[in-house]
Amino acid sequence: MNKRIKLRTLLFGGVMTLLFLVLIGRIYYVQVIDGDKYYKLAADRWSTVETIAGRRGTITDRDGNVLAKDTTAYNVSVNPQIINGAGIVEEVVDGLNEILDVPKDQLRNIVTAKNDKGKFYLHRDIRKGGWQIEKVTADKITAFKDELKKKLIANKIAGDTGIYLQPSLKRYYPHNYLASQVIGYISEDKKYMSGIEGYFHEELNGEDGYIRYQKDGKRVQLSNGEVEYKKEEHGNDVMLTIDSDIQHYVEEALRDIVTKYNPKSATAIAADPNTMEILAMANMPEFNPNEYGKYDYANFYNHAVASLYEPGSTFKIATLAAAVEEGLFKPDEKYQSGSYKIPGDPKTIRDHNRVGWGQIDFLEGLIRSSNVAFVKLGFERLGADKLRDYFTRFGFGQKTGIELGNESTGSINFRYNSEVATASFGQGVAVTAIQQVAAVAAVANGGKLLEPHIVKSYTDPQSNETTVTEPKVVRQVISEETSRLVGNYLEQVVSNQEYGTGRNAYIEGYRIAGKTGTAQKVINGEYSKTKFMVSFIGYAPVENPKIVLYIAVDEPNDQYAGGGKVAAPAFREIVLKSLRKMGVSPNLGPNVDPKTKEAKVIVPKLVDLKVAQAKAELNAKAMTFEIVGDGGKVLQQIPAADSIIHPTQRVYLITEQRDKLAVPDLTGVSLRDAIELTSLIGAKLIPEGSGYVISQKVEEVGNERIVRVKLSPPFGSEEYVEPPPEEEAAGAEDSGGESTGEENGGTESTAAGDGNAEQQQDGTDGAQGTTEIDPGINHSGEN
């Protein structure tokens, strides 16, 4: 018996010893061999990390006005385990649905989400609708949480609602549509971006920092715990060369063109010809980068640098400059206009009116935009090699180097006689808008081709070091004397009110140089007889250029409307406002307001004239007008005859005595004239402010039409207030008058005017890779 007891005791002791040894071994393994691993797991459980967001750099215009910046936003997330444990699923779903406008089914799926093991998740983000919300919405979430927490505490349930708000940074564009394709956008996850946001992403992008500290079971920081800290780094601030005021003028004018002509697209670039700093760059259609997800690809496309097209007669400026530089352009020399037979080729080049104007001199040929004149200059006198050399020296067929992505190269390749001939007046070559602006700026500034820039400087916020973009001369293309002469010749294209193709760009008191363009588009390898790219390019003042401006309109819905009718009036409006903003005074002539010292014109007597006669008289004076009604005779005019007005002020021609005539655009009209005009059409005017109308809104109240207008003192006065971008004038469109001459030359296929060569054959030769501009196609790179 004793022996058995001893045996059992030894066996039990042996087992206990063995277990003890195993336990000691396990402890040794965990503490020593795997100690680092388990310590790390424990430390991770004790510690928490808070991200300190690095701010993305701010984008401003040349005057420091903010165009893009980071602002505080909030992300909403939930804890399904807590929400389901507290039994408040439906309360949370209903509350968040009302605040965030997220579908209830979607919210219910989030707050009841389980993992693979069938357990509720501890954290779920509400990405759609609850990501980067504004503070106003976040405050509503906070108020909802507080109410829900009170209910839980009243029911003796823990006060955690399972709803969380995490501060973050959101990209914000305070001016909405302004310069949208230039600034671009950046998506919330930073995977997609465009414009400056994309091109300077690395410079703009900040780097997040963090703080890691240890906490106890109640998530309170341990006073003697380890703390690890990494400072955040903010991105560089970028200052653009854009002038927000001029950008606004440009976009406003393009919107008017879109309203009147419904084109596929419209593009404009304004620059300082002496530095090639871009003052404005705009495209229609446009988009709001704050809501980028709502738009199609076409709205993001920057035609100014990416689209290739045949320029048409605006390209004649390069040929003219080359001919003047080589001493081959003699303004008084006569030639036979009308048609030109290309040697060794069956094609015949024709002027846009097909029959020409008989024996005229080369200067008149320029003013009338004669294709034959430029074939003689480019093909006959300069020749293929010299013509190509000048085009290359002007920067065509090569990227300009502007700080924007997706810039196209274009081509100026021509071999055969017909290709050389058509290239001399802008057919068969492929260029970009920015190339045209750089080339014409060289003509304006004394012959220097400059590299265009849209970034003025960028600043490192850590060191406060600023890097400034200096003007860069690429090469001297023509002499200063040639630049002066070409400016004088191009001025007559605008100032000649009898047959100058650019006369609708004329501004009283300023010397304007310019050229129209109306180019047939290449569709399926052939020149279309109904689809055109119309344009205008010019600069002012000729004697000391401050601005060069290019406007291109793709397929206006009026096939007989050329660059002189569609683009030139917009050019006039933009340049006048820009020069006044720059403080460039007009050259004082006999008609000058003694108080403001601005050039004025006298309104002629138009009452009792036929509408066509009234139009012709106003066109001759380069005055803007609008026809009110469908009658054939002028019954009344506003302002009255012999009134002295600014050259840009609109004259209204009333042709019907009806009280339901459409309310015209009253922008720029004095209060007195606005009252008289609205009274005539049976509407009631409610003014706000004093001076001249800067915006209007038409309302129907019962059977009465109410026209609410805001007025501001004259531009330049201390009380003047620039109209806000979102307030656009309502009412009828401004006809702006009918152009004659270039656009109405009347041909079977280019009746729009300064159009490219009217060839007897189909004209497919010479189309060297230029394609119809289609926003759905990437036009970057060489075509």
Side-chain angles (χ1 to χ4, degrees):
M1 187 60 130
N2 289 335
K3 186 178 179 180
R4 188 177 297 170
I5 292 172
K6 288 179 180 181
L7 218 74
R8 288 178 179 176
T9 302
L10 287 173
L11 181 61
F12 179 76
V15 171
M16 291 300 294
T17 302
L18 181 62
L19 291 175
F20 183 74
L21 290 173
V22 170
L23 179 61
I24 293 296
R26 181 59 182 167
I27 291 173
Y28 177 82
Y29 184 83
V30 170
Q31 291 281 57
V32 180
I33 297 177
D34 262 3
D36 291 342
K37 172 186 173 182
Y38 287 103
Y39 180 80
K40 185 177 183 304
L41 290 173
D44 288 343
R45 181 176 287 261
W46 302 332
S47 67
T48 188
V49 178
E50 293 183 6
T51 300
I52 305 172
R55 177 182 58 80
R56 188 172 175 84
T58 299
I59 301 174
T60 66
D61 76 351
R62 66 189 300 115
D63 296 319
N65 298 309
V66 175
L67 302 175
K69 66 176 183 178
D70 275 1
T71 186
T72 303
Y74 299 86
N75 299 330
V76 184
S77 61
V78 295
N79 185 325
Q81 187 179 86
I82 290 177
I83 292 172
N84 284 270
I88 53 173
V89 171
E90 290 308 315
E91 288 94 329
V92 170
V93 168
D94 291 343
L96 295 181
N97 165 259
E98 183 178 346
I99 297 170
L100 300 176
D101 198 26
V102 176
K104 289 186 178 182
D105 291 343
Q106 181 180 325
L107 288 169
R108 193 173 289 106
N109 289 336
I110 293 173
V111 300
T112 59
K114 295 181 179 180
N115 59 24
D116 295 339
K117 297 179 180 180
K119 294 183 178 181
F120 290 109
Y121 281 108
L122 298 176
H123 181 90
R124 294 280 91 180
D125 290 325
I126 303 177
R127 284 274 178 174
K128 291 185 177 180
W131 204 251
Q132 294 200 329
I133 62 174
E134 303 289 343
K135 187 177 185 304
V136 175
T137 306
D139 289 342
K140 292 179 181 179
I141 296 285
T142 301
F144 170 62
K145 284 176 57 181
D146 291 343
E147 288 298 319
L148 194 56
K149 184 176 181 179
K150 291 178 182 178
K151 178 182 176 181
L152 292 174
I153 293 173
N155 293 330
K156 298 183 179 180
I157 303 174
D160 191 346
T161 63
I163 303 171
Y164 310 111
L165 282 171
Q166 179 66 37
S168 67
L169 292 176
K170 176 183 180 180
R171 202 61 170 167
Y172 175 59
Y173 305 89
H175 295 282
N176 298 316
Y177 294 91
L178 192 77
S180 56
Q181 287 100 352
V182 172
I183 301 166
Y185 75 96
I186 182 166
S187 61
E188 294 173 1
D189 56 10
K190 297 184 179 180
K191 288 184 178 180
Y192 306 99
M193 58 196 78
S194 66
I196 292 295
E197 293 278 31
Y199 193 89
F200 283 94
H201 174 60
E202 294 301 322
E203 290 84 353
L204 285 165
N205 201 37
E207 185 177 340
D208 292 344
Y210 62 83
I211 179 169
R212 179 182 286 114
Y213 59 88
Q214 294 178 322
K215 63 183 185 308
D216 60 19
K218 295 182 179 180
R219 303 182 67 82
V220 177
Q221 182 177 353
L222 298 174
S223 60
N224 59 348
E226 295 180 1
V227 176
E228 184 180 353
Y229 171 71
K230 180 179 182 294
K231 182 176 173 57
E232 76 281 10
E233 292 184 9
H234 301 309
N236 291 341
D237 296 326
V238 175
M239 175 178 282
L240 303 184
T241 60
I242 293 292
D243 183 305
S244 289
D245 290 332
I246 297 177
Q247 181 75 28
H248 174 59
Y249 305 152
V250 168
E251 292 183 9
E252 193 176 51
L254 289 187
R255 290 188 190 106
D256 286 345
I257 289 175
V258 169
T259 300
K260 293 176 185 177
Y261 296 103
N262 192 30
K264 288 180 64 176
S265 66
T267 298
I269 304 174
D272 180 344
N274 302 298
T275 62
M276 266 314 290
E277 290 184 345
I278 304 301
L279 302 175
M281 181 181 286
N283 300 272
M284 297 290 151
E286 58 190 339
F287 76 101
N288 183 347
N290 290 310
E291 302 173 328
Y292 63 85
K294 296 181 178 180
Y295 298 89
D296 296 328
Y297 175 75
N299 297 78
F300 302 105
Y301 200 77
N302 191 350
H303 295 280
V305 298
S307 288
L308 290 172
Y309 54 91
E310 294 192 2
S313 292
T314 54
F315 200 69
K316 291 174 180 175
I317 295 177
T319 303
L320 173 66
V324 173
E325 179 73 7
E326 295 293 323
L328 302 174
F329 180 80
K330 298 176 176 56
D332 298 329
E333 182 185 352
K334 300 286 186 178
Y335 77 98
Q336 181 63 43
S337 64
S339 63
Y340 184 94
K341 181 69 174 63
I342 301 174
D345 194 285
K347 295 177 182 176
T348 298
I349 304 295
R350 298 187 184 277
D351 282 323
H352 56 79
N353 70 345
R354 299 191 68 83
V355 297
W357 304 272
Q359 282 272 339
I360 59 174
D361 59 49
F362 275 91
L363 180 57
E364 183 175 341
L366 167 65
I367 296 171
R368 292 186 182 275
S369 195
S370 165
N371 291 330
V372 173
F374 281 86
V375 173
K376 285 182 172 292
L377 292 174
F379 173 68
E380 275 189 6
R381 301 186 180 184
L382 286 166
D385 292 341
K386 195 160 285 187
L387 194 65
R388 183 185 294 106
D389 178 59
Y390 272 99
F391 289 167
T392 301
R393 290 175 59 77
F394 270 116
F396 297 109
Q398 54 206 281
K399 293 184 179 181
T400 65
I402 191 171
E403 308 97 326
L404 288 169
N406 206 30
E407 183 184 2
S408 295
T409 303
S411 64
I412 53 168
N413 298 318
F414 41 80
R415 294 178 298 170
Y416 306 112
N417 286 349
S418 61
E419 295 174 341
V420 179
T422 57
S424 66
F425 56 83
Q427 191 177 72
V429 294
V431 305
T432 63
I434 190 64
Q435 288 173 345
Q436 288 243 88
V437 171
V440 173
V443 172
N445 66 25
K448 298 183 292 292
L449 180 69
L450 297 166
E451 187 175 278
H453 291 288
I454 203 159
V455 172
K456 195 169 184 66
S457 67
Y458 58 90
T459 303
D460 182 344
Q462 275 70 235
S463 64
N464 286 325
E465 182 180 348
T466 298
T467 302
V468 178
T469 304
E470 300 292 344
K472 180 180 178 181
V473 178
V474 180
R475 67 181 70 90
Q476 186 80 27
V477 184
I478 56 176
S479 68
E480 290 188 12
E481 177 61 16
T482 296
S483 169
R484 184 187 67 80
L485 288 172
V486 173
N488 291 339
Y489 298 146
L490 291 174
E491 180 183 3
Q492 297 182 60
V493 175
V494 176
S495 63
N496 187 307
Q497 291 299 298
E498 182 181 354
Y499 51 79
T501 57
R503 62 187 173 279
N504 283 340
Y506 177 76
I507 304 174
E508 184 78 23
Y510 294 100
R511 295 178 62 196
I512 309 294
K515 187 72 192 73
T516 53
T518 306
Q520 291 171 281
K521 294 187 63 177
V522 177
I523 309 295
N524 298 324
E526 296 186 359
Y527 285 105
S528 171
K529 296 183 182 300
T530 58
K531 295 183 179 180
F532 300 91
M533 169 71 75
V534 303
S535 57
F536 189 91
I537 193 166
Y539 56 91
V542 172
E543 68 277 15
N544 184 20
K546 297 294 184 183
I547 184 172
V548 55
L549 174 64
Y550 178 63
I551 299 173
V553 182
D554 186 17
E555 292 187 30
N557 59 9
D558 180 356
Q559 71 181 64
Y560 300 108
K565 181 177 181 179
V566 177
F571 174 95
R572 179 175 181 263
E573 176 185 344
I574 295 166
V575 169
L576 176 61
K577 291 178 179 177
S578 299
L579 291 177
R580 292 172 71 184
K581 198 246 181 198
M582 295 174 181
V584 180
S585 301
N587 294 322
L588 303 181
N591 297 323
V592 178
D593 186 299
K595 294 182 179 178
T596 64
K597 302 300 182 184
E598 287 193 334
K600 297 289 182 180
V601 292
I602 299 174
V603 180
K605 183 178 183 301
L606 303 167
V607 175
D608 295 332
L609 293 182
K610 291 183 178 180
V611 171
Q613 292 175 306
K615 285 181 178 180
E617 188 158 346
L618 291 172
N619 276 329
K621 293 179 175 291
M623 298 178 71
T624 304
F625 60 89
E626 181 169 344
I627 309 296
V628 181
D630 298 321
K633 184 178 178 181
V634 178
L635 303 179
Q636 191 164 349
Q637 67 180 77
I638 299 174
D642 298 324
S643 298
I644 299 177
I645 64 172
H646 191 274
T648 60
Q649 185 171 332
R650 190 176 291 114
V651 176
Y652 297 91
L653 304 178
I654 314 300
T655 64
E656 289 183 84
Q657 291 286 9
R658 295 192 310 181
D659 59 3
K660 286 298 181 182
L661 289 170
V663 178
D665 183 0
L666 301 175
T667 306
V669 172
S670 67
L671 177 58
R672 183 188 63 185
D673 288 344
I675 292 172
E676 184 178 356
L677 187 57
T678 51
S679 176
L680 277 173
I681 62 176
K684 180 180 179 181
L685 186 77
I686 300 180
E688 178 184 331
S690 62
Y692 295 83
V693 176
I694 61 171
S695 69
Q696 71 185 73
K697 184 178 181 182
V698 181
E699 301 174 354
E700 294 284 347
V701 180
N703 294 324
E704 186 177 28
R705 277 188 301 176
I706 304 295
V707 182
R708 300 182 185 275
V709 296
K710 289 188 177 181
L711 300 103
S712 177
F715 184 95
S717 68
E718 293 182 359
E719 300 84 5
Y720 174 79
V721 178
E722 181 69 27
E726 65 273 17
E727 292 187 359
E728 298 179 41
E733 300 166 14
D734 172 20
S735 67
E738 292 183 4
S739 291
T740 57
E742 181 217 357
E743 291 81 52
N744 297 339
T747 70
E748 292 137 35
S749 68
T750 67
D754 67 19
N756 295 335
E758 268 296 298
Q759 300 178 353
Q760 289 183 330
Q761 299 190 9
D762 62 11
T764 55
D765 286 352
Q768 300 179 4
T770 310
T771 60
E772 176 186 7
I773 295 178
D774 183 350
I777 299 175
N778 186 346
H779 291 274
S780 63
E782 295 188 25
N783 266 14

